[in-house]
């Protein structure tokens, strides 16, 4: 009985997780893990804007550079800022206690964020910050209300304001934030920022499973081998049973 209960919980947990997701539709990231140029731009964005707070402590610089086509010497010179060895894990120097004091909780490690959430969620999240003076860092997020971090890409996107609409909930009219719009003060145009968000999301998806492309290629080869083996086994079976039939 207990075993059935545990199995049932494991089946239902993903459903509860989905039910607890954002109340706004997620935008499609449209990632392409074969696009090394996109992955390189995403790595640059992460190292420059995210690594100060968020680590990727299960991913190594060297593996990253090799997989996405960055020469080791260039990666060391332009993407490692703290003197770490190229074989080191991607970590920062932020003290956990200080981080908890500043942000309320230590910023999460992002190595597996694309598998914990989804690429579409990350992409939508990056495009959903908006100005909110009531929040400690002056911003909020459509898909993550009461977010506890600043909008670190604001200099690229510009200051975004909320797009709201009136909806009926439990017989009452409430105002909900359904989107954002930039004021155009950023270093990038809307299309350029959109591409930057896709590049960063693409990089997160790669880091979540660096061997995905290799595994997919190997899987195709294995299926091809099994198909050929099936044909040979079928012909062998016919040969063995020819005299019987």
């Amino acid at each position: 009985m207990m075993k059935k209960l545990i199995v049932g919980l494991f089946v239902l947990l993903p459903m509860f997780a989905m039910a607890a997701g954002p109340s706004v539709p997620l935008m499609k990231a449209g990632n392409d893990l074969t696009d090394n140029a996109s992955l390189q731009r995403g790595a640059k964005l992460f190292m420059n804007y995210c690594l100060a707070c968020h680590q990727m402590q299960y991913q190594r610089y060297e593996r990253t550079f090799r997989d996405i086509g960055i020469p080791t010497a260039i990666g060391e010179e332009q993407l490692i800022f703290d003197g770490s060895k190229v074989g080191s894990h991607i970590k920062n120097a932020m003290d956990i206690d200080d981080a908890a004091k500043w942000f309320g909780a230590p910023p999460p490690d992002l190595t597996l964020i694309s598998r914990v959430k989804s690429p579409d969620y990350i992409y939508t999240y990056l495009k959903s910050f908006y100005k909110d003076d009531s929040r400690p860092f002056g911003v909020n997020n459509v898909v993550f209300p009461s977010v506890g971090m600043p909008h670190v890409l604001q200099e690229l996107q510009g200051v975004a304001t909320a797009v709201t609409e009136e909806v009926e909930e439990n017989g009452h009219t409430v105002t909900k934030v359904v989107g954002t719009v930039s004021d155009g003060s950023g270093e990038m145009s809307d299309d350029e920022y959109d591409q930057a968000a896709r590049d960063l999301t693409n990089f997160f998806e790669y880091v979540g499973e660096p061997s995905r492309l290799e595994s997919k290629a190997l899987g195709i080869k294995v299926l091809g081998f099994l198909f050929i083996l099936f044909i040979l086994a079928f012909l062998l079976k016919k040969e063995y049973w020819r005299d019987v039939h």
Side-chain angles (χ1 to χ4, degrees):
M1 182 65 181
M2 182 60 68
K3 184 181 294 186
K4 291 182 179 179
L5 179 61
I6 293 174
V7 171
L9 286 173
F10 274 105
V11 171
L12 291 174
L13 276 174
M15 297 174 62
F16 291 135
M18 291 176 64
S23 58
V24 297
L26 298 181
M27 295 178 279
K28 292 294 183 182
N31 289 351
D32 180 3
L33 295 178
T34 66
D35 187 350
N36 278 354
S38 171
L39 293 171
Q40 291 167 13
R41 293 192 298 267
K44 180 180 178 181
L45 287 167
F46 176 81
M47 302 303 178
N48 281 277
Y49 291 95
C50 307
L51 183 56
C53 296
H54 296 280
Q55 301 187 130
M56 285 184 169
Q57 60 180 328
Y58 306 110
Q59 178 77 358
R60 296 182 186 273
Y61 287 106
E62 185 176 27
R63 171 67 188 269
T64 303
F65 298 159
R66 182 177 70 248
D67 285 352
I68 66 178
I70 298 177
T72 301
I74 294 178
E76 285 186 285
E77 178 184 351
Q78 299 186 11
L79 295 177
I80 301 180
F81 307 124
D82 59 358
S84 296
K85 299 295 184 182
V86 72
S88 302
H89 291 93
I90 303 176
K91 296 183 177 181
N92 59 34
M94 179 179 288
D95 182 77
I96 294 179
D97 293 333
D98 287 340
K101 185 187 303 181
W102 297 332
F103 300 104
D109 183 276
L110 298 181
T111 313
L112 301 175
I113 188 64
S114 70
R115 299 177 68 176
V116 174
K117 295 293 187 178
S118 73
D120 292 345
Y121 178 93
I122 297 170
Y123 171 64
T124 307
Y125 173 81
L126 292 172
K127 290 173 62 68
S128 296
F129 280 93
Y130 62 92
K131 180 178 173 61
D132 184 349
D133 293 330
S134 69
R135 299 296 303 155
F137 294 102
V139 293
N140 212 326
N141 193 283
V142 181
V143 298
F144 193 157
S146 301
V147 65
M149 65 171 283
H151 181 20
V152 296
L153 301 180
Q154 182 168 291
E155 68 177 60
L156 303 180
Q157 182 188 22
V159 178
T161 55
V163 175
T164 61
E165 68 177 22
E166 304 292 326
V167 297
E168 293 289 331
E169 284 190 359
N170 300 322
H172 299 282
T173 301
V174 297
T175 302
K176 296 189 68 174
V177 179
V178 295
T180 66
V181 59
S182 172
D183 66 354
S185 63
E187 297 176 7
M188 295 180 171
S189 66
D190 288 343
D191 290 342
E192 289 171 336
Y193 181 74
D194 179 76
Q195 185 59 56
R198 291 181 188 276
D199 293 338
L200 190 52
T201 303
N202 203 18
F203 180 67
F204 282 133
E205 184 172 3
Y206 150 72
V207 172
E209 193 175 353
S211 62
R212 178 182 297 182
L213 294 180
E214 298 173 10
S215 300
K216 183 177 180 180
L218 180 60
I220 293 174
K221 292 177 182 178
V222 170
L223 289 174
F225 169 78
L226 292 176
F227 178 72
I228 295 172
L229 183 63
F230 169 78
I231 293 175
L232 294 175
F234 179 75
L235 294 175
L236 182 62
K237 177 259 183 187
K238 292 192 68 174
E239 182 65 26
Y240 271 117
W241 287 83
R242 182 172 58 182
D243 297 333
V244 176
H245 293 296

